[in-house]
Structures are given as structure tokens and as C-alpha cells.
Amino acid sequence: MSAPAAPDGAGEKLDSGVLKVAGVVVLGAIMAILDTTVVNVALQKLTIQFGTSFDTIQWVATGYMLALATVIPITGWAAEAFGTKRLYLIAIGTFLAGSMLAGMAWNVESLIVFRVLQGLGGGMLMPAGMTILTRAAGPQRIGRVMSVLGVPMLLGPICGPILGGWLVDSVSWRWIFYINVPIGLIAFVFALRVLPKDRPERTGRFDFPGLLMVSPGLAALIFGVSRIPSTGTVASVQVWLPALAGIVLLVGFVLRAARIDNPLIDLKLFRNRSFSTAMITMTVFCIGFFGAMLLLPTYFTLVRGESALNAGLLLAPQGLGAMLTMPIAGRLADRIAIRRIVLPGMLLLVLGMVVFTQVGADTPYALLMAAMFVMGLGMGATMMPITSAALQTLRSRDMAKASTATNILQQTAGAIGSAAMSIVLAALLAGKFGVPTSQGQLAATAATLNPATHEAASGLTADAFASTFVWGLVALALCLIPAFFLPKKRIVPTAETGEDVAPPVPMH
């Protein structure tokens, strides 16, 4: 009989076995998350390389995102049916194949197809990896393992533009895909050796009708939302028709899932108050934060005239701030009430965002970088503790389904937030330059590049960014409301939550 854990969570350090599993999972997460951002800085280069339009080349990013949305719902069922280790190896192999083929692409059509293949592998990596890691560590250490898994989730959007800008400028656009190959091979070999073997669990009948609702529904909704920046209006048939179709399919799935056994996504998880509160907080947070963060590199390149590489480097203070608070927040999440960590983190985010609502064409870089550092401190104390609050009260057998639901909400909310901020910015720019909404950013770019109009155009463009950041500030402030209802006391794993926790990870 094992000794009980200390009341404050002491003595529950991550052993070397869990740390090895975490290392493998982080490698996979780095690949998947980097590839959602590293391509963005190369789109202009790819447009010239393949002699195509920007609308067409956008599918290199959109196709990857839609593939992620399509495959994530299947991951929870597949983890139970085939075992998480086997599924993780399949995900890495699929991602590697897509990366290699994308680097060898001979035209824009082949590149889009191979990016979709890459996305199918990438969509399985995060939820499968999260399931493996949380099962290995057990509920009493979820806060710490979430802080480990949060490193690539925070640094990916920062390092992606830096790495992508350098590879495109100094090496070749093909290496934004080839760079995944050595990382993926290392991750595959270590996954074979390190990840604990698990046996497939008996699952109910596969919810194929649910798959036909939720995967196309998510893809259609995200596609419709992603078309807002290019069309310039939500009234465009390219926006409202797929978005409406997606919403109808998702509502149909929810109504059906509430009446059947073993649905593709287990909605019974939301009966858990801690889980549902954390998911509401996470959704509002992703809409506000990731939507606003999308604007930062554009501000630096459009208003301040920085290169893609320099714009990426200027985002580094945010990552540094997050790296300082994330390990501390992870340890505290297993010892004290989650709310006592998240609320101060949210206040730091709001404080940092206030600076950007006042941004101008000549705002000192020192002030902007200090604000990003403060936001990074808040980010490190927010995102992973929220996820910990969602998972701490669940049984090990529910981790796969919970990880799937978490990743779906993050992807969808992030896409909605990015599109919403893009359309607000485009509309404001259009108003200032007297052009249609869809032409707002093009007009601002042309005016800022013209020496005769540069000074006036930079001021007008900076004003548009400042007003857009106000919307991000409002969303982050609203996030404080659900965050207030996060657990008030430290969650102690009970027999119900910990009864089927996986045994300790074997040493290798």
C-alpha cells in the first residue's frame, strides 16, 4: 500500500520516466504548432514562386487548418480503439510523410494536397500527446505536465515567424517543411522506445453518423470564418453559407450526442462543473488573445516597416515572460486553487493589452516590448492552469475524450478570434483610406510604402490597429467573468478521479 500524498502536493515531483514521455510529446507538439505559423511568413514568396494568386496560396494555410479540424474529433475514439502509443506513432508518420512531400511539391495544387496530409497527422499529435502525458503523470500532477506541454503552445506562434522568415530569406521555402523531418524522425524513434505500451480499450460502436456531422461541420465553420478577411464582410456567400452549414451540422451533432451511447465527443463531460467552467474560460480567452496576437507581426511590418524576421524577433519578450511564469504556475496548479493563479494572470494580460490600445506609429519599442513581456507573464499563468482545471477532476479513462474536446474548442475559438480581429482591422483601414473593406489592408500597404504619403498613412494605420486592440482588450476582460467561477479550492484527486490512473511510467 502506497503512502498518501502530502497535503500540499509536495513529493509529487515528475520522475524521469514521466519527463522522458514529456520530451517525446513536446517534440511532436513543436512540429504541429510550428507548422501552423511558420508557413504564414512564406505565403508572399510562394505566391511568386508558383505564379499564382494570393487567394489560391492561402489554401496552403487554410487546407492545413481544415485538416486539423477534421481529424481532431476522431482522435479520442482512435486512442481508445488502437491505443495511444500506436496512434501517436501513426500521427508522427503521417506528419513526416506530409512534410517531406510538401517540401518536394512541384506546383501549388500538390503543395496544398500535401499540406492537408500534414494537417491530418498534426491534428492527432496534440490530443494524443496530451492524453499520453496526463495518463502517465496522474491527476495529482496534471498542473506540472500541462506547464511542460504549454511550452511549444506558447513558443510556436513566436518562434514560427522567426524560423520561417530566416529559412525563406536565407535558405529556401522548401526548408520550412524539410525542417520537420529530422525532428520527426527523432520523435518517432524516442516514441517507440520511451512511450509506455497501452492496450486498446473496449469501445462502443463507432459513431460514424457523428463523424459525418462534427468533422465536416467544424471544417465548414472554420472555412467560412477564415474567408472573412479576404471577402471583407460576413454578408459574402463565401462566408455565411459554409459557416451556417457548419453550425447546422454541429447543432445536429449535439442534439444527437445527447441521446445516444458512446458519441464521437462525450458531451457528458460538460456535466462536470470544473470542466465546463474551464472550457468556457478557455474559449473566450482564445478568441481574445490569439485574435489580438495575430495583429502584432502585421503592425510591425505594416506600420513600422520591419522585415518578417525582425517582426518575429520583436515578439520574443512575450515568450520570455511565459517561460518565467509557466513552470511556477504548473507547480502551483497542483497545490492551490486554480482561480488564484488564473485571475492574476488574466489581470497581467489585460494590463499589457492596454498599452497596445494606445499604440501609434512611433510608440517606443521599449514600451511595446515591456508590454509584451507582461502579457507573456500573464499567458504563462493562464492557459495551462485553465487546462489543468478542466482535467484534474476527470478519470483517466476520460482523458482521451477530454483532450479531444479541449483541442476542438481551442482550434475553433482561435480561428474565430483571428478572423474577427482581421475583419475589424480591415474595416477600420478601409474607413480611413476610403476603399471597400476587402481592400483596406492593400490600400494601407500601398500608402505606407509611398514616401510621399508614408508619414500620414502610418499614423492612420496605427490608429486602426489601436482601435482593433480595444476589441481584444474587451474579450480578455470578459474572460475574467468565467475565470471567477473556476475552482475556489485546491482539487485533491479522490478514488473516483484517480481509481484508474495508469501505473507509473517504466524506466528505460
Side-chain angles (χ1 to χ4, degrees), residues 196-285:
K197 291 182 179 179
D198 60 339
R199 288 176 294 181
E201 300 176 10
R202 279 193 175 186
T203 59
R205 189 175 178 182
F206 179 62
D207 183 17
F208 191 71
L211 173 63
L212 294 179
M213 291 181 180
V214 73
S215 287
L218 281 171
L221 175 60
I222 291 177
F223 171 73
V225 169
S226 71
R227 297 299 295 166
I228 294 175
S230 60
T231 60
T233 174
V234 294
S236 169
V237 69
Q238 298 178 48
V239 174
W240 69 260
L241 185 59
L244 180 61
I247 291 170
V248 169
L249 286 170
L250 292 173
V251 170
F253 171 80
V254 170
L255 294 175
R256 182 177 176 276
R259 296 184 288 102
I260 66 169
D261 295 327
N262 300 309
L264 190 65
I265 301 172
D266 189 0
L267 300 182
K268 295 183 181 69
L269 292 171
F270 289 90
R271 294 177 182 173
N272 182 309
R273 184 179 178 275
S274 180
F275 182 82
S276 58
T277 303
M279 289 298 95
I280 293 170
T281 308
M282 177 69 74
T283 300
V284 180
F285 171 79

Side-chain angles (χ1 to χ4, degrees), residues 181-407:
V181 177
I183 300 174
L185 288 174
I186 293 170
F188 191 89
V189 170
F190 276 92
L192 271 175
R193 298 187 59 184
V194 171
L195 295 186
K197 291 182 179 179
D198 60 339
R199 288 176 294 181
E201 300 176 10
R202 279 193 175 186
T203 59
R205 189 175 178 182
F206 179 62
D207 183 17
F208 191 71
L211 173 63
L212 294 179
M213 291 181 180
V214 73
S215 287
L218 281 171
L221 175 60
I222 291 177
F223 171 73
V225 169
S226 71
R227 297 299 295 166
I228 294 175
S230 60
T231 60
T233 174
V234 294
S236 169
V237 69
Q238 298 178 48
V239 174
W240 69 260
L241 185 59
L244 180 61
I247 291 170
V248 169
L249 286 170
L250 292 173
V251 170
F253 171 80
V254 170
L255 294 175
R256 182 177 176 276
R259 296 184 288 102
I260 66 169
D261 295 327
N262 300 309
L264 190 65
I265 301 172
D266 189 0
L267 300 182
K268 295 183 181 69
L269 292 171
F270 289 90
R271 294 177 182 173
N272 182 309
R273 184 179 178 275
S274 180
F275 182 82
S276 58
T277 303
M279 289 298 95
I280 293 170
T281 308
M282 177 69 74
T283 300
V284 180
F285 171 79
C286 287
I287 290 173
F289 183 79
F290 289 112
M293 289 305 99
L294 175 76
L295 303 178
L296 282 176
T298 309
Y299 165 79
F300 285 125
T301 54
L302 185 57
V303 178
R304 311 302 287 263
E306 299 290 350
S307 67
L309 177 58
N310 286 344
L313 288 169
L314 286 166
L315 300 178
Q318 182 181 301
L320 293 174
M323 289 175 66
L324 287 177
T325 53
M326 189 176 288
I328 299 171
R331 286 194 294 271
L332 291 176
D334 295 325
R335 299 186 178 203
I336 65 174
I338 296 291
R339 190 174 70 169
R340 293 171 60 188
I341 306 168
V342 172
L343 286 176
M346 290 302 309
L347 289 173
L348 286 172
L349 281 167
V350 169
L351 180 64
M353 185 65 77
V354 167
V355 173
F356 288 98
T357 64
Q358 307 300 314
V359 76
D362 55 358
T363 304
Y365 277 140
L367 176 61
L368 296 178
M369 295 176 78
M372 281 189 287
F373 180 74
V374 170
M375 291 184 71
L377 293 174
M379 177 66 170
T382 302
M383 189 167 181
M384 288 301 106
I386 294 174
T387 307
S388 299
L391 301 179
Q392 278 179 334
T393 58
L394 300 179
R395 296 168 299 179
S396 180
R397 71 178 69 148
D398 292 327
M399 288 300 179
K401 293 176 181 177
S403 298
T404 297
T406 301
N407 278 271

Side-chain angles (χ1 to χ4, degrees), residues 159-178:
C159 297
I162 298 174
L163 179 62
W166 176 72
L167 289 172
V168 169
D169 292 342
S170 305
V171 190
S172 165
W173 67 266
R174 297 185 184 274
W175 275 94
I176 64 178
F177 304 112
Y178 287 149

